[in-house]
Amino acid sequence: MLRIECVLGSRVEPELSEQLHRLEHRGAVDIVTIPVVDLARRRLLITTSGGEELAIALPRHQKLFDGAVLLLEKERAIVVRAATERWLRLEPRSLSDAIELGYQAGNLHWRVRFEGGVLLVALEGRPEDYLARLEGLIESGRVGAGVIEQAVDHEAAPFAEHGHPHSRPPGHGH
């Protein structure tokens, strides 16, 4: 079992990208697909697509992310790929509903993204638990809700920087 004790960087960083590109041409880049909900974990036992078992034990200041380079040697590399992610789709009916929904999501420190007038909340647990927190808004019809599954588009953006440790201040979830 290979022990991984740090993230070397992102596959899009120029100095790593060149080396990975050369290894990819030789079929020497192994992928470890990690469920999005597990990207926040610092300790993880998992197997790569090539069958290698990994024991990941990261320091507190590091997190896994889509495109994280875990191993980079002369003859091989291991890179993280985020798996399908589930989202709670919330559509407020008015501006005041949107403000209240935004307040609630922020107060709960939910990981969100926006698509026009729709708020998408990353599901890191049971959808029912999230819906219960917004019960008043949803039952009154002020906010429409549904669950969608969305694969990370590895073709368009092979390793997007979702959750990259430098994308927001350390330890700050919103």
Side-chain angles (χ1 to χ4, degrees):
M1 182 176 296
L2 179 62
R3 186 170 171 89
I4 303 292
E5 295 180 336
C6 71
V7 172
L8 301 176
S10 170
R11 80 169 282 117
V12 298
E13 293 173 17
E15 56 278 359
L16 298 178
S17 180
E18 278 185 40
Q19 295 174 58
L20 289 169
H21 184 72
R22 283 193 295 275
L23 290 170
E24 284 170 340
H25 280 288
R26 296 196 323 250
V29 176
D30 200 357
I31 301 297
V32 60
T33 302
I34 299 178
V36 173
V37 71
D38 287 335
L39 290 174
R41 294 179 57 189
R42 288 185 178 77
R43 298 195 181 289
L44 188 65
L45 295 175
I46 198 159
T47 304
T48 69
S49 59
E52 184 156 10
E53 292 182 350
L54 304 180
I56 299 173
L58 300 178
R60 287 184 184 255
H61 69 279
Q62 285 194 327
K63 287 187 180 181
L64 297 170
F65 56 92
D66 195 38
V69 179
L70 302 180
L71 177 75
L72 184 58
E73 296 175 338
K74 188 175 181 179
E75 297 300 318
R76 70 181 184 140
I78 298 175
V79 178
V80 170
R81 177 171 282 177
T84 302
E85 190 162 25
R86 292 176 12 152
W87 296 88
L88 180 61
R89 184 182 190 280
L90 300 168
E91 187 169 359
R93 305 293 184 222
S94 70
L95 179 58
S96 63
D97 298 335
I99 292 169
E100 188 172 341
L101 176 62
Y103 171 80
Q104 294 291 340
N107 235 9
L108 295 166
H109 296 267
W110 287 344
R111 189 167 52 94
V112 302
R113 70 173 213 241
F114 304 94
E115 285 186 1
V118 173
L119 179 69
L120 296 173
V121 176
L123 290 173
E124 297 169 350
R126 298 175 337 132
E128 299 81 23
D129 296 338
Y130 289 78
L131 294 170
R133 303 302 292 265
L134 303 172
E135 188 174 20
L137 288 169
I138 293 169
E139 284 185 1
S140 66
R142 296 174 55 204
V143 173
V147 175
I148 59 173
E149 287 203 27
Q150 191 171 53
V152 175
D153 187 354
H154 299 293
E155 301 275 325
F159 291 92
E161 292 293 313
H162 300 299
H164 186 282
H166 303 297
S167 64
R168 57 176 87 102
H172 200 73
H174 56 100

